[in-house]
Amino acid sequence: MTSRWDSFPGRPAIAGRRRRRPLALAATAAVLLPALLSAAACGGPAGASAGADDELTVMTWAPSGTGSADRPGMTALAEAIGRDVNLKGGLNGHRLHVITCNEHNTADGAKACAQQAVDAKAIAVLGSYSQWGDAFMPVLERAGIPLIGGYGLSQPEFSSPLSYPVDGGMPALIAGSGRQLVDAGCKAVSLIRPDTPAGDNLLGYLGNALRPAGIKLLDVKAPEQSSDYTPVVRKAIGKDEPGNCVTSALAAEPTGNLLDAYRRQNAKNTRIASVIGSVQQSVVDSTGGDSGPLAGAFVTSWYPPESAKTWDGLRAVVRSQTTDGHSIDVSDPGVETTWVAYEVFRVVTDKLSAAGKPVSAKTIAALLDSGEGVDVGLTPPLNWGSTNMLPSTESPRLVNTWVTYQVVKGGRMTLQQPGFVDVRWVLTGARSPS
């Protein structure tokens, strides 16, 4: 079984839990997304006049200067995309006007960013990272502005009729982690998760994944920030017996402290797992690579590993002169989600232009609602039509229920098996497929 994503010709395969089925689609070359001249945190764009007829104005926001929630790479990438697009002639003759905003990891900050998008007459908010969906989504809804590819931290991103998430958020990740551990032969699983309402929800999804296999689940609540997670790790490991597994769903910064505590316990028999966002390649590197606590760890992700050829377009922009000196981590799932969101926007504008339709907030939402799939080659085809909605009152917009299984091998995050795995049945509480 190969674990190299780039061993597939251009397009990923779709995998089931027991049987992998190749996706019969034509190979797609990585597309280099164009972009804009833009401004930093909540400032106006340099050298562009908002609202001009030949411009398409979009916004990306994320917190900066707040601590562990910071995602400056997302706004830096949005600006780089904008510059790159415009250097290449724009999108179908339109200049891309990218506005970025620092939402400061506060409800007021998120609401202010959304209002700035309204004031700038943005036709879409792309990418973006905020846990304050209750604050920003109503502002976008009143103005009719679609959110494409929000990171998925808040419930409104999976329920608002104007939200088009490109990933399955934490629910898909933790459900996928559970199935990955079932396949690994775990007999007992401990979940280290935030002591928050959102963390409470994760316990249910993981339980759905483990229950068909009769695997015991231990809930280990942890503070969102701590300099010493030793008591948490000790509880999770327990007797350190063969078949013990631990999976965590904390942010990247506290995960580093958690791994320090795990290393000190010197557990010989307990297998460790996590989800993307908690663990990414930069975390593997900073904790010692193949000699660190993540050696052999299982990781569930929304996307292919950052080393995959499907990210060539993203890497090209990050390595170009359009980043304005900003360091952008290609392995950051926030950066990757922003890239996917802009790629979706590119495909949508291409479709609208080919049909002779204007590109506006209204026409973008109408196309996405039509049930016409959007395929950017980095996820299975995305479809927000009514027949593809998740049968859930809380998260109907969670249409991408596919994840990838990865493992840390030789100090690198690589595919454990090729292609995507669908965890829709776990998210809906349905019976395990045979």
Side-chain angles (χ1 to χ4, degrees), residues 3 31 34 66 70-71 83 95 120 125 172 197 203 206 227 240 244 258 263 285 322 332 376 390 411:
S3 63
V31 182
T66 68
D70 289 355
R71 290 295 186 278
R83 297 186 185 102
R95 186 173 183 81
V125 172
L203 190 66
L206 185 58
S227 58
D240 188 29
N244 277 3
L258 181 75
R263 188 202 312 262
D285 296 340
T322 63
D332 183 339
V376 298
L390 194 73

Side-chain angles (χ1 to χ4, degrees), residues 69-121:
D70 289 355
R71 290 295 186 278
M74 296 174 69
T75 48
L77 176 64
E79 294 172 356
I81 287 172
R83 297 186 185 102
D84 184 68
V85 164
N86 292 331
L87 286 172
K88 292 176 170 64
L91 289 174
N92 300 297
H94 296 282
R95 186 173 183 81
L96 184 59
H97 176 196
V98 176
I99 306 170
T100 60
C101 185
N102 182 356
E103 61 90 74
H104 297 289
N105 195 29
T106 66
D108 287 343
K111 186 176 181 180
C113 286
Q115 186 59 51
Q116 187 185 353
V118 175
D119 295 342
K121 296 181 170 56

